[in-house]
């Protein structure tokens, strides 16, 4: 078939003469705001072919040709639902058709390693869940390059396993060697952590001895049988993957004992090396057990040959003609990262297969079709403003992993925004960790509908502060998906809701003020449906909708909306009207120069329960000390999809009528903030039942705030106005700290922003003992810890052509020696093919940490205390500042308590180990620690299996089970060992 298609790498590329390259015709690309302004073609799709495949291979060209009809389907889908993102078809032959068309760029090595068949959405849609035992031959004949290829084959198989699969790896020679000895006789879930754990252990394998495959097969069959009877695992497909350089027998007696006549366990055999002496035995084993045989001669052959087994496992599903829809866990789409940061996606996909009756028994999978769905789309129906100040929505998968949650932190090193390696497999129990018995998690995994309550400790302000509250959780399943949805409501918020009523004209008038804005991550109007609406802010959309200029907009207004939160815009109009007078008050303050003559107060702001904000600047934008405050760069202090602003949330937890003061924390180790934020909540009535309808506050220069404090501290109530003692006295130190123990004012300016316990450890320790402050232990199961790892100055020699050549020579000569002599000389030549200059390198790796937070006791207004130090008594007094969250602390400066260490908030890594003090306890520890590690590996949280399973079909044609191409040795390869021997003389 002669057919020209748009190759995604070659499009718009020209040769030296200015002519378009073959498969690289002109392809119009236009920036599109719906796709983050990437240049795309919304009329056509284009095709990506992996670098290791020939882009004019007849099978690929034929598949590209018949799949061209998908163009119309993709375009029609996008016309019907303009909120769609990427649509695509991944072919079983390896090509990837993507809509809208986009240009793909190779990496710095000119390579595009992407292969759609290796993606989770493809594998999940193409196959059913599976239990897999991988058998790796580590006999003496596997030394050198063969073992390297075998390890890479195992690693590639692991890449094809997902969270619904279970596996184990056994190495064998004359004995069995479980790659992870702790998991003897069982299988573990193929989650990322377990797969990486096994990969690390693969490096410890070495070849020696004689291969006894019969022992390994018996073990594998017994393990699969026993594991299946436990009710664990996939309870669907089962397979044994055999990786070896040969088999001296067909082992039909073993298969007859365990697997015939039903052949419920498929056998996949991978012959490593170029020799074909044992190919017939291995192929027979695969064909007799509904599997597949393939030969892997080089590292470049590994991935393509491993992929073959997926198409065998897909046969029953294809024969059943079942278009099972699958959804993946959340992942980051870096191409669509917007001004709000990362975009979490889930993929919905289904298999595509041939329906021809004459080929039905062969179960021919054509590929998988899919589309990406932004996770936030699943939560758009949740009315954020009805959840209360601290309320939030979240969703999890059938394995208990978070799909979306406000506490999910997929990135680390904030400035660099690197992805955590385990971000897509964070369990719900790792963020809602107060639920020690997993009551909430297990109910949601089991797709139940219900309610659960517990006390929680929610961290805010970059984890430095904690809010203790009681949450009520409501949960149910999301129909048509493997996901469950939960909503958390904090008691005291969200139960009572205030409603007002004003005319549209009144509301529109007060929305016109230039300092009014709305939460753009909230859904007041659907601006995704029509391209001409996508550039509108939510405020612009409301105005144009209410004035009749955009009747096609779908907005949450009770007159025309059939939605559950149809009163939202009505409440926005009400908030606009009742909050408008504050603009006049701010204007009068700005005009009264005596009130703010030195421009200490820079910003005044107000936010309401409907996401409406008013902002007034008392200085020019360029003069602001904190340029990011109340902008998209400072997500914690604006209304967004996950939460209310930090200053709103903290004010709501204060006693009505009081102000909360704080210094913003920077992301760096040292706090360098130069501003103070103060805010207070607005309630209709002065009681806890009255809903918080708004919060108002200011941000001022730190220097201005501190100057006000020092002026106030020098004013005394005596008749002559003189103070018996003041903060100017050298005998005392004065501090102003907040309710979490952070210093706002100190005589030493450098201490600003530090935790009080780091500066005055003895006093803080006494405050904790007296109950003025309490310590709250927190846990972070998404932390990244620094660890020392061995690294090498040299690259792996397999990547070096010079070293690779001599490695191949050594391997070939070893084969000749093995053929000529009976004893093993392989060890003379054995090498890990790497010349390493070892050194320790610090890296960041996922870990669990424990750290403290501190909260003041509200009932204590004033406290004095004495601390017995080495040779003196240190006295102090702490007094609460009325109507605030602040405390003034005065400390005796003449007595030093050096014996009391500072109290820090530094996190400590949880290593899950025990302490020991004697040699005996060390030995006991080593044994017990291995036991602890083993139990952690074996422990499996409750999960729910996918509802569909297509493990077998009686009509399956298993005769197509692989073949051997080019088994005869080529003359140059036969002569090379002889030539090398001659030239070495």
């Amino acid at each position: 078939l002669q057919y020209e298609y748009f190759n995604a790498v070659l499009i718009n590329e020209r040769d030296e003469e200015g002519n378009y390259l073959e498969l690289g015709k002109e392809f119009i690309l236009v920036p599109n705001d719906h796709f983050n302004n990437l240049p795309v073609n919304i009329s056509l799709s284009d095709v990506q072919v992996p670098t290791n495949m020939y882009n004019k291979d007849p099978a690929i060209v034929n598949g590209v040709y018949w799949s061209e009809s998908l163009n119309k389907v993709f375009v029609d889908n996008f016309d019907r639902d303009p909120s769609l993102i990427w649509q695509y078809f991944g072919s079983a032959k390896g090509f990837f058709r993507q809509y809208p068309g986009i240009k793909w760029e190779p990496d710095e090595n000119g390579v595009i390693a992407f292969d759609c068949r290796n993606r989770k959405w493809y594998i999940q849609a193409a196959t059913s869940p599976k239990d897999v035992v991988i058998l790796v031959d580590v006999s003496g004949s596997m030394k050198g390059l063969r073992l390297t290829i075998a390890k890479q084959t195992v690693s590639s198989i692991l890449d094809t396993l997902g969270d619904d699969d279970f596996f184990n790896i056994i190495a064998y020679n004359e004995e069995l060697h479980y790659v992870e000895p702790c998991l003897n006789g069982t299988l573990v879930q193929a989650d990322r952590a377990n797969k990486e754990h096994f990969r690390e252990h693969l490096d410890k394998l070495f070849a020696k001895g004689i291969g006894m495959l019969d022992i390994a097969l018996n073990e594998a069959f017994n393990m699969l049988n026993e594991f299946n009877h436990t009710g664990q695992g996939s309870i669907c497909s089962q397979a044994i993957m055999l990786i070896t350089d040969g088999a001296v027998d067909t082992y039909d007696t073993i298969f007859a004992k365990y697997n015939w006549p039903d052949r419920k366990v498929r056998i996949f055999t991978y012959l490593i090396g170029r020799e074909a002496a044992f190919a017939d035995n291995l192929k027979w084993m695969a064909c007799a057990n509904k599997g597949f045989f393939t030969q892997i001669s080089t590292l470049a052959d590994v991935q393509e040959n491993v992929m073959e087994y997926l198409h065998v496992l897909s046969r029953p599903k294809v024969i059943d003609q079942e278009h099972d829809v699958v959804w993946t866990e959340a992942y980051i789409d870096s191409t669509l990262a917007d001004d709000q940061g990362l975009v979490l996606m889930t993929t919905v996909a289904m298999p595509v297969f041939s329906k021809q009756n004459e080929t039905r028994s062969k179960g021919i999978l054509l590929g998988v079709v899919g589309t990406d769905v932004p996770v936030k789309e699943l939560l758009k129906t949740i009315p954020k403003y009805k959840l209360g100040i601290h309320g939030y929505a979240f969703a999890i998968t059938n394995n208990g992993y978070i799909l979306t949650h406000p506490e999910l932190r997929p990135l680390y090193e904030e400035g660099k925004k690197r992805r955590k390696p385990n971000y897509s497999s964070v369990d719900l129990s790792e963020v809602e960790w107060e639920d020690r018995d997993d009551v909430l998690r297990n109910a949601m995994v089991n797709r139940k509908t219900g309610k659960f309550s517990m006390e929680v400790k929610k961290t805010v302000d970059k984890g430095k502060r904690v809010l203790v509250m009681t949450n009520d959780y409501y949960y149910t399943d999301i129909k048509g998906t493997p996901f469950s949805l939960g909503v958390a409501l904090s008691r005291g918020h969200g139960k009572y809701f205030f409603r007002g009523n004003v005319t549209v004209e009144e509301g529109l008038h007060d929305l016109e003020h230039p300092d009014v804005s709305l939460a753009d991550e909230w859904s007041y109007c659907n601006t995704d449906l029509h391209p001409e609406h996508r550039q509108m802010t939510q405020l612009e959309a409301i105005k144009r909708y209410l004035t009749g200029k955009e009747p096609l907009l779908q907005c949450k207004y009770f007159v025309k909306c059939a939605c559950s939160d149809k009163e939202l815009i009505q409440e926005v109009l009400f908030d606009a009207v009742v909050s408008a007078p504050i603009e006049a008050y701010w204007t009068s303050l700005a005009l009264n120069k005596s009130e703010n003559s030195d421009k200490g107060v820079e910003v005044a702001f107000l936010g309401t329960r409907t996401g409406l904000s008013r902002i007034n600047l008392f200085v020019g934008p360029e003069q602001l000390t904190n340029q990011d405050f109340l902008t998209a760069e400072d997500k914690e202090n604006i209304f967004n999809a996950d939460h209310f602003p930090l200053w709103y949330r903290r004010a709501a937890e204060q006693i009505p009528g009081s102000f909360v003061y704080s210094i913003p924390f920077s992301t760096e180790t040292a706090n360098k903030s130069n501003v103070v934020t103060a805010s207070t909540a607005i309630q209709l009535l002065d009681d806890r039942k009255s809903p918080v309808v708004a919060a108002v506050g200011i941000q001022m220069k730190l220097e201005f705030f501190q100057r006000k404090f020092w002026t106030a501290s020098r004013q005394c109530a005596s008749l002559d106005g003189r103070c018996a003692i003041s903060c100017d006295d050298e005998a005392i130190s004065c501090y102003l700290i907040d309710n979490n123990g952070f210093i706002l004012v100190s005589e030493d300016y450098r201490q600003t922003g530090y935790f009080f316990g780091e500066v005055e450890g003895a006093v803080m320790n006494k405050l904790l003992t007296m109950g003025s402050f309490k310590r709250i232990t927190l846990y972070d199961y998404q932390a990244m810890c620094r660890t020392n790892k061995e690294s090498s100055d040299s690259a792996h020699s397999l990547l070096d052509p010079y070293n690779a050549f001599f490695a191949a020579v050594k391997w070939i000569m070893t084969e000749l020696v093995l053929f000529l002599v009976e004893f093993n000389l392989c060890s003379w030549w054995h090498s890990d093919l790497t010349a390493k200059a070892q050194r320790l390198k610090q890296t960041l790796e996922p870990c669990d940490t424990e750290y403290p937070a501190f909260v003041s006791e509200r009932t204590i207004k004033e406290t004095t205390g004495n601390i017995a130090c080495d040779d003196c008594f240190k006295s102090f007094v702490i007094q609460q500042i009325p109507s605030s969250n602040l405390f003034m602390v005065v400390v005796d400066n003449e007595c030093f308590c050096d014996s009391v260490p500072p109290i820090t908030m530094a996190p400590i890594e949880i290593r899950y180990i025990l302490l020991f003090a004697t040699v005996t306890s060390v030995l006991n520890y080593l044994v017990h620690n291995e036991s602890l590690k083993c139990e952690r590996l074996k422990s499996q949280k409750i999960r729910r299996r996918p509802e569909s399973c297509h493990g077998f079909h009686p009509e399956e044609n298993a005769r197509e089970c692989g073949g051997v191409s080019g088994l005869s040795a080529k003359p140059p390869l036969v002569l090379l060992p002889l030539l090398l021997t001659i030239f070495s003389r």
Side-chain angles (χ1 to χ4, degrees):
L1 176 65
Q2 295 297 319
Y3 173 68
E4 291 285 322
Y5 63 91
F6 290 109
N7 185 291
V9 179
L10 301 176
I11 53 173
N12 299 330
E13 294 288 333
R14 298 175 185 265
D15 59 22
E16 294 178 354
E17 298 177 356
N19 300 316
Y20 285 113
L21 297 178
E22 191 177 19
L23 303 182
K25 298 177 291 185
E26 182 181 12
F27 192 74
I28 298 173
L29 297 172
V30 179
N32 188 298
D33 60 317
H34 185 59
F35 296 91
N36 198 32
N37 286 320
L38 291 172
V40 298
N41 187 317
I42 60 173
S43 300
L44 293 170
S45 62
D46 58 4
V47 175
Q48 176 264 343
V49 179
T51 302
N52 65 335
M53 301 183 70
Y54 178 44
N55 56 29
K56 295 193 73 175
D57 183 285
I60 288 179
V61 173
N62 184 59
V64 172
Y65 174 73
W66 66 254
S67 67
E68 191 178 52
S69 58
L70 287 173
N71 274 325
K72 186 177 185 307
V73 177
F74 290 152
V75 172
D76 289 347
N77 287 343
F78 192 53
D79 287 342
R80 281 195 303 268
D81 185 0
S83 66
L84 285 174
I85 312 291
W86 306 112
Q87 302 176 66
Y88 39 82
F89 169 72
S91 168
K93 300 299 181 183
F95 71 84
F96 179 69
R97 181 178 287 279
Q98 181 180 22
Y99 173 88
I102 188 171
K103 184 169 178 60
W104 286 55
E105 299 291 346
D107 62 19
E108 61 273 11
N109 298 315
V111 173
I112 292 181
F114 177 87
D115 189 327
C116 60
R117 298 167 300 174
N118 210 21
R119 312 302 286 185
K120 284 191 175 182
W121 54 267
Y122 184 97
I123 296 169
Q124 281 183 235
T127 65
S128 293
K130 48 198 171 290
D131 298 333
V132 176
V133 176
I134 303 173
L135 302 179
V136 188
D137 184 355
V138 290
S139 62
S141 62
M142 287 289 289
K143 280 195 174 182
L145 186 59
R146 286 182 178 177
L147 187 59
T148 301
I149 295 173
K151 290 177 181 179
Q152 184 59 43
T153 302
V154 174
S155 184
S156 292
I157 292 173
L158 292 180
D159 285 338
T160 67
L161 303 181
D163 296 322
D164 294 324
D165 303 321
F166 289 77
F167 77 103
N168 204 336
I169 306 174
I170 303 174
Y172 71 91
N173 39 37
E174 60 266 32
E175 296 179 348
L176 298 180
H177 310 276
Y178 278 86
V179 170
E180 171 48 78
C182 154
L183 297 172
N184 189 322
T186 188
L187 276 70
V188 293
Q189 187 177 8
D191 59 29
R192 185 193 175 280
N194 287 338
K195 289 191 292 186
E196 287 305 310
H197 179 81
F198 272 81
R199 279 195 176 95
E200 291 174 3
H201 281 61
L202 279 178
D203 292 336
K204 301 174 184 177
L205 294 181
F206 58 93
K208 69 174 183 178
I210 303 170
M212 304 292 287
L213 180 54
D214 54 337
I215 301 174
L217 286 172
N218 276 293
E219 180 75 3
F221 275 114
N222 282 323
M223 180 167 29
L224 287 172
N225 183 53
E226 292 173 8
F227 190 70
N228 192 49
H229 280 109
T230 64
Q232 298 177 334
S234 69
I235 315 296
C236 192
S237 299
Q238 290 190 317
I240 295 174
M241 309 290 198
L242 174 59
I243 302 167
T244 180
D245 62 349
V248 297
D249 192 8
T250 58
Y251 303 101
D252 51 320
T253 55
I254 295 177
F255 299 129
K257 176 182 178 181
Y258 292 104
N259 208 35
W260 296 345
D262 296 331
R263 297 188 290 177
K264 289 293 181 69
V265 179
R266 298 179 187 269
I267 307 294
F268 296 93
T269 54
Y270 300 90
L271 177 61
I272 305 299
R274 297 185 181 277
E275 288 74 11
F278 301 106
D280 289 341
N281 287 344
L282 290 173
K283 182 174 181 181
W284 184 91
M285 292 161 62
C287 296
N289 294 279
K290 289 189 175 182
F292 199 88
F293 163 82
T294 187
Q295 185 169 10
I296 303 176
S297 303
T298 68
L299 286 169
D301 297 337
V302 172
Q303 183 167 323
E304 191 66 24
N305 283 292
V306 166
M307 291 295 171
E308 294 290 349
Y309 96 88
L310 295 174
H311 302 133
V312 174
L313 292 183
S314 71
R315 288 174 186 165
K317 181 181 288 192
V318 174
I319 297 172
D320 283 334
Q321 303 284 288
E322 290 289 344
H323 288 289
D324 292 333
V325 176
V326 300
W327 295 73
T328 67
E329 76 275 14
Y331 62 91
I332 296 173
D333 187 339
S334 55
T335 64
L336 294 181
D338 55 22
D339 294 338
Q340 310 299 329
L342 60 90
V343 176
L344 282 174
M345 293 281 194
T346 177
T347 294
V348 55
M350 67 169 62
V352 179
F353 39 73
S354 171
K355 289 191 173 183
Q356 297 177 2
N357 288 329
E358 58 269 24
T359 60
R360 184 168 178 268
S361 65
K362 295 182 179 180
I364 299 176
L365 177 74
L366 299 178
V368 173
V369 65
T371 184
D372 292 344
V373 180
V375 170
K376 63 183 180 182
E377 293 293 323
L378 300 176
L379 302 182
K380 274 192 172 180
T381 56
I382 306 295
K384 173 61 185 169
Y385 77 104
K386 283 189 175 182
L387 302 185
I389 298 166
H390 304 293
Y392 55 90
F394 59 97
I396 65 171
T397 70
N398 59 302
N399 285 296
Y401 299 152
I402 291 172
L403 188 72
T404 178
H405 192 290
E407 300 298 321
L408 178 64
R409 305 194 315 273
L411 305 179
Y412 69 101
E413 291 191 359
E414 198 162 322
K416 299 177 182 178
K417 293 188 175 180
R418 295 175 176 171
R419 301 180 193 181
K420 294 178 181 176
N422 59 339
Y423 78 90
S424 62
S425 56
V426 177
D427 198 89
L428 181 65
S429 60
E430 295 176 328
V431 292
E432 302 287 354
W433 51 265
E434 295 90 346
D435 180 17
R436 296 295 186 184
D437 297 324
D438 288 342
V439 176
L440 173 65
R441 178 199 179 276
N442 294 345
M444 293 183 68
V445 165
N446 290 321
R447 299 181 70 80
K448 294 182 178 179
T449 298
K451 176 187 174 183
F452 174 71
S453 301
M454 66 176 174
E455 184 181 88
V456 296
K457 305 171 183 68
K458 292 298 179 185
T459 58
V460 296
D461 211 356
K462 299 178 174 63
K464 299 285 188 179
R465 307 181 190 278
V466 63
L467 301 175
V468 181
M469 58 191 73
T470 299
N471 276 0
D472 293 323
Y473 295 87
Y474 300 86
Y475 51 85
T476 189
D477 62 311
I478 303 176
K479 305 299 181 187
T481 76
F483 309 139
S484 290
L485 175 69
V487 171
L489 300 180
S490 297
R491 289 186 185 173
H493 303 288
K495 185 175 181 180
Y496 300 97
F497 188 76
F498 177 77
R499 288 182 179 173
N501 192 23
V502 295
T503 65
V504 172
E505 292 73 19
E506 289 176 303
L508 281 173
H509 175 269
D510 288 320
L511 282 177
E512 288 297 332
H513 197 283
D515 291 334
V516 174
S517 63
L518 287 177
D520 266 331
E521 290 189 30
W522 290 21
S523 182
Y524 304 87
C525 297
N526 190 343
T527 56
D528 292 329
L529 293 179
H530 301 284
E532 61 270 22
H533 297 156
R534 289 178 188 146
Q535 292 299 320
M536 292 183 184
T537 65
Q538 288 292 318
L539 181 56
E540 290 170 339
I542 288 177
K543 291 177 182 178
R544 296 184 69 83
Y545 172 76
L546 293 178
T547 55
K549 294 179 181 178
E550 294 289 348
L552 293 179
L553 275 169
Q554 294 183 9
C555 296
K556 296 174 178 178
Y557 188 55
F558 68 91
V559 176
K560 298 179 181 179
C561 182
C563 45
S564 61
D565 51 346
K566 58 187 178 182
E567 71 281 355
L568 175 56
I569 291 180
Q570 178 63 36
E571 296 306 319
V572 168
L573 297 177
F574 178 81
D575 286 359
V577 172
V578 298
S579 63
I582 201 170
E583 297 281 359
Y585 172 68
W586 286 338
T587 302
S588 68
L589 288 179
L591 293 174
N592 187 351
K593 295 183 179 180
S594 62
E595 290 289 332
N596 193 27
S597 57
D598 51 3
K599 297 182 179 179
V601 177
E602 298 185 333
V603 188
F605 50 86
L606 173 141
T608 75
R609 75 271 161 74
T610 59
L612 180 143
S613 298
R614 290 183 180 273
I615 302 171
N616 187 84
L617 301 184
F618 294 108
V619 297
E622 70 285 348
Q623 296 177 290
L624 287 172
T625 305
N626 185 352
Q627 295 280 335
D628 293 338
F629 186 57
L630 301 176
T631 70
E633 299 299 319
D634 185 10
K635 291 198 67 166
E636 202 162 26
N637 279 304
I638 62 172
F639 289 95
N640 61 44
D642 290 332
H643 53 65
F644 278 53
L646 175 62
W647 44 266
Y648 198 127
R649 286 179 285 162
R650 293 195 64 209
E653 293 306 303
Q654 284 295 112
I655 297 172
S658 63
F659 276 81
V660 57
Y661 295 83
S662 63
I663 293 180
F665 292 104
S666 68
T667 55
E668 302 170 17
T669 305
N671 183 57
K672 297 179 181 178
S673 179
N674 292 315
V675 294
V676 174
T677 304
S679 60
T680 186
I682 299 174
Q683 293 179 273
L684 299 181
L685 301 172
D686 191 16
D687 61 56
R688 298 300 292 174
K689 289 185 178 181
S690 175
V692 174
V693 294
V696 64
I698 59 172
Q699 188 168 93
M700 67 195 97
K701 292 179 182 177
L702 176 60
E703 178 270 334
F704 169 80
F705 176 79
Q706 291 180 337
R707 190 168 68 250
K708 292 284 187 182
F709 170 76
W710 293 124
T711 300
S713 70
R714 297 185 182 99
Q715 296 174 358
C716 297
S718 60
L719 292 176
D720 58 1
R722 299 177 62 183
C723 301
I725 187 172
S726 78
C727 292
D728 294 329
D729 294 343
E730 293 185 0
I732 62 173
S733 292
C734 295
Y735 304 92
L736 189 66
I737 66 174
D738 66 18
N739 60 313
N740 298 116
F742 293 101
I743 299 172
L744 279 78
V745 180
S746 170
E747 294 167 23
D748 184 349
Y749 183 83
R750 294 170 299 177
Q751 295 172 348
T752 304
Y754 276 79
F755 177 61
F756 183 65
E758 295 181 56
V759 178
E760 295 281 359
V763 177
M764 190 67 205
N765 186 62
K766 187 67 173 181
L767 290 173
L768 289 169
T769 304
M770 297 166 60
S772 299
F773 276 78
K774 60 180 177 181
R775 180 197 303 261
I776 297 175
T777 302
L778 302 171
Y779 299 92
D780 184 358
Y781 297 103
Q782 300 177 72
M784 298 291 289
C785 296
R786 294 198 177 276
T787 183
N788 291 323
K789 273 198 166 185
E790 287 186 351
S791 65
S792 171
D793 283 335
S794 66
H796 196 287
S797 58
L798 283 175
L799 302 178
D800 185 325
Y802 180 83
N803 286 333
F805 171 75
F806 281 101
V809 170
K810 288 166 64 177
W811 177 68
I812 292 168
M813 294 181 70
T814 299
E815 295 298 306
L816 182 62
V817 171
L818 280 172
F819 179 75
L820 294 175
V821 299
E822 294 183 358
F823 61 93
N824 194 341
L825 293 178
C826 280
S827 59
W828 290 12
W829 303 95
H830 178 63
S831 167
D832 64 358
L833 307 180
T834 307
K836 295 181 179 178
Q838 296 290 352
R839 68 172 188 270
L840 290 178
K841 179 183 179 182
Q842 273 205 341
T843 60
L844 285 170
E845 301 225 333
C847 63
D848 300 341
T849 61
E850 174 185 311
Y851 66 99
F854 300 86
V855 179
S856 64
E857 176 55 58
R858 284 182 175 176
T859 58
I860 298 178
K861 304 301 180 185
E862 182 176 344
T863 303
T864 59
N866 288 291
I867 306 165
C869 299
D870 293 335
D871 54 1
C872 60
F873 282 91
K874 189 181 189 73
S875 59
F876 68 89
V877 59
I878 179 171
Q879 185 176 48
Q880 185 176 23
I881 307 298
S883 301
S884 77
N885 68 321
L886 301 179
F887 296 85
M888 183 174 178
V889 186
V890 180
V891 180
D892 175 8
N893 211 21
E894 295 183 335
C895 177
F896 296 95
C897 278
D898 296 332
S899 59
V900 181
I903 297 176
T904 73
M905 298 179 65
I908 300 172
E909 182 178 357
I910 304 172
R911 295 187 177 272
Y912 303 100
I913 61 175
L914 302 177
L915 297 177
F916 48 84
T918 65
V919 174
T920 303
S921 59
V922 168
L923 295 175
N924 291 336
Y925 155 73
L926 292 173
V927 174
H928 191 78
N929 190 39
E930 287 303 312
S931 176
L932 283 174
K933 290 180 180 178
C934 185
E935 289 305 314
R936 284 175 61 79
L937 280 172
K938 287 183 176 179
S939 63
Q940 294 181 11
K941 288 184 175 289
I942 289 177
R943 54 181 293 277
R944 191 181 70 257
R945 297 183 191 89
E947 295 179 358
S948 66
C949 170
H950 305 277
F952 300 91
H953 199 286
E955 298 177 20
E956 178 184 343
N957 179 357
R959 288 190 294 275
E960 292 190 11
C961 49
V964 187
S965 60
L967 287 178
S968 58
K970 296 179 181 179
L973 292 179
V974 174
L975 293 175
L976 185 57
L978 179 59
L979 292 172
L980 289 171
T981 305
I982 292 172
F983 283 112
S984 64
R985 292 180 179 180

